[in-house]
Amino acid sequence: MSVRTLPLLFLNLGGEMLYILDQRLRAQNIPGDKARKVLHDIISTMFNRKFMEELFKPQELYSKKALRTVYDRLAHASIMRLNQASMDKLYDLMTMAFKHQVLLCPRPKDVLLVTFNHLDAIKGFIQDSPAILHQVEEIFRQLTETYGGLSAGEFQLIRQTLLTFFQDLHIRVSLFLKDKVQNSNGRFVLPVSGPVPWGTEVPGLIRMFDSKGKEVKKVEFKHGGNYVTAPKEGSFELYGDRVLKLGTNMYSVNRPVETHMSGASKNLAPRTQENIAPNPLAKEELNFLARLMGGMEIKKPSGPEPGFRLNLFTTDEEEEQAALTRPEELSYEVINIQATQDQQRNEELARIMGELEVTDQPRQSASKGDDLLAMMDGL
């Protein structure tokens, strides 16, 4: 496992989250100034200096539930609220999109280009806010400093760590199914065509050498694909042509996206019920959440602007049905960390959660968006 994986995982999932929220804000005809405020607030919180300092510390990945808790709070860093079912769908889309990108990276190092694609798009959301843009560019420089000198082997370890994190997730996404990049069982289709990794040759030739390193024989073979040489390497600079398209916004064209549990995922209860079996890393996981959320400084909105609920489904009825039919073992609703002996840390995390309350704004009566905050209070 690589201890340098968490920043890449968090930033890429966060980028996908912003793509989806931007698409849904437009689809629900949320006024432009209000939609812009939501994205600005989330990005500002996401790239907060103290928060990023904690994120970039070398550390192992923790459970999906722990990371999901961070995104719950991040998604609610503004006046927008998400129902539990919509938050589930949001997280499903985020994870499956980034899993697809990691699987298709031509080289392990290209996961850095995927990250830069996300950051480039995020900069597009905040062009009219120099202060937040500066935050994002500082993280770009930190990424370059942290990952720029890593070897191919270290990037391979990062890629394997990411794939291990995603290995049990086989959620079907309608957009992927329509584009035929995902099978009906939720597994992705690996292409046998297109550019080969930068610095490598198109397959089809075997060279044989003698003991002195002299080439003595060539043998050609049919590879069964349709490969071409990569035109050029993507840019790792602050601004430049990334070449690689993985990590760009696939929701830029307004297309409805649905998620469905595959049969394989429904049968993964013994492996996915992380909240039942005692977790030997429980104390560390609680520390992880407390540190990250302690760094997630959320500015209180200055005005009395009312909040609003965002629905990731077409109708409220679809959202309610999704909440009822989601397999219990795949729900992220509660993190049950077995760390009762560490009462002080539990109290500290509860205090941090309380401080992260965005605002005491008027809430809709029986609001569907309030159940997430109630869940967080019960952690």
Side-chain angles (χ1 to χ4, degrees):
M1 291 290 178
S2 171
V3 295
R4 290 291 187 188
T5 307
L6 184 60
L8 298 179
L9 176 64
F10 176 81
L11 290 170
N12 283 287
L13 287 179
E16 289 298 322
M17 180 178 77
L18 291 166
Y19 291 165
I20 298 162
L21 292 179
D22 173 63
Q23 189 271 338
R24 291 309 302 163
L25 288 166
R26 286 185 281 109
Q28 287 189 210
N29 297 316
I30 302 298
D33 56 340
K34 189 175 287 190
R36 208 160 32 246
K37 173 178 172 50
V38 168
L39 295 179
H40 283 203
D41 287 348
I42 292 175
I43 295 169
S44 180
T45 303
M46 180 177 170
F47 289 90
N48 174 270
R49 183 179 59 81
K50 287 174 62 178
F51 179 73
M52 282 293 159
E53 284 176 359
E54 291 294 340
L55 193 74
F56 272 83
K57 290 177 180 177
Q59 55 194 300
E60 292 185 5
L61 294 185
Y62 290 89
S63 72
K64 298 176 184 66
K65 289 179 183 291
L67 195 60
R68 160 65 189 269
T69 301
V70 178
Y71 285 108
D72 281 340
R73 180 54 59 182
L74 185 61
H76 291 82
S78 187
I79 57 176
M80 178 190 70
R81 292 293 175 266
L82 290 171
N83 206 2
Q84 181 64 44
S86 283
M87 191 68 215
D88 284 340
K89 179 175 179 179
L90 174 63
Y91 193 69
D92 288 345
L93 289 171
M94 290 158 52
T95 52
M96 292 307 290
F98 185 44
K99 177 181 180 179
H100 180 240
Q101 293 156 16
V102 175
L103 280 170
L104 264 61
C105 275
R107 307 174 297 174
K109 184 180 180 180
D110 288 336
V111 73
L112 195 54
L113 289 177
V114 174
T115 310
F116 290 167
N117 273 336
H118 281 115
L119 292 188
D120 288 345
I122 289 172
K123 287 188 288 186
F125 291 138
I126 51 171
Q127 283 298 329
D128 56 345
S129 179
I132 307 176
L133 187 62
H134 177 71
Q135 287 179 261
V136 177
E137 291 182 346
E138 280 300 310
I139 297 308
F140 185 100
R141 294 184 183 95
Q142 192 167 353
L143 283 168
T144 303
E145 181 180 323
T146 303
Y147 297 96
L150 296 189
S151 67
E154 289 171 308
F155 274 111
Q156 174 64 9
L157 189 58
I158 288 173
R159 183 174 184 269
Q160 287 301 118
T161 304
L162 288 170
L163 291 176
T164 299
F165 180 82
F166 291 126
Q167 66 179 349
D168 290 334
L169 292 175
H170 306 295
I171 299 163
R172 292 176 295 160
V173 177
S174 62
L175 193 150
F176 290 144
L177 292 169
K178 290 173 184 175
D179 291 345
K180 300 188 185 303
V181 299
Q182 190 179 32
N183 291 323
S184 58
N185 62 2
R187 297 181 184 274
F188 287 111
V189 177
L190 297 181
V192 290
S193 61
V196 296
W198 172 255
T200 63
E201 298 179 7
V202 173
L205 183 65
I206 299 173
R207 293 188 178 91
M208 301 179 193
F209 300 84
D210 61 18
S211 58
K212 296 180 180 179
K214 182 180 179 182
E215 185 178 311
V216 295
K217 188 178 180 181
K218 291 182 181 179
V219 178
E220 294 185 357
F221 67 93
K222 291 184 178 180
H223 51 70
N226 184 24
Y227 298 104
V228 295
T229 304
K232 60 179 179 178
E233 185 177 27
S235 171
F236 290 88
E237 300 299 323
L238 179 59
Y239 294 97
D241 182 7
R242 311 300 177 199
V243 179
L244 196 69
K245 299 304 179 186
L246 298 172
T248 54
N249 191 351
M250 65 179 179
Y251 307 98
S252 53
V253 177
N254 200 356
R255 302 166 67 183
V257 183
E258 300 299 331
T259 57
H260 309 278
M261 299 298 115
S262 69
S265 291
K266 291 179 181 178
N267 296 325
L268 286 173
R271 301 177 69 179
T272 56
Q273 285 184 305
E274 297 169 294
N275 58 327
I276 293 179
N279 183 358
L281 294 177
K283 183 177 179 180
E284 288 80 356
E285 195 152 280
L286 201 59
N287 292 342
F288 162 76
L289 284 173
R291 288 199 317 274
L292 281 186
M293 292 188 173
M296 193 184 286
E297 295 178 350
I298 298 178
K299 296 179 181 179
K300 304 278 185 179
S302 55
E305 191 172 2
F308 66 94
R309 184 171 69 88
L310 190 72
N311 189 348
L312 265 74
F313 296 83
T314 307
T315 64
D316 288 350
E317 290 73 20
E318 285 184 22
E319 186 180 48
E320 292 168 0
Q321 183 63 24
L324 292 172
T325 57
R326 186 176 180 86
E328 184 179 352
E329 67 271 13
L330 292 175
S331 175
Y332 300 99
E333 187 173 355
V334 175
I335 296 178
N336 183 13
I337 298 177
Q338 306 291 329
T340 53
Q341 294 180 352
D342 195 357
Q343 183 178 358
Q344 182 178 358
R345 178 57 71 182
N346 274 290
E347 291 173 354
E348 174 68 7
L349 183 56
R351 181 187 66 77
I352 291 170
M353 291 295 204
E355 291 176 355
L356 288 177
E357 185 74 39
V358 179
T359 181
D360 295 328
Q361 298 183 30
R363 296 177 181 175
Q364 301 171 7
S365 59
S367 169
K368 295 181 180 180
D370 292 341
D371 54 3
L372 180 75
L373 296 177
M375 175 203 83
M376 301 293 283
D377 292 337
L379 181 62

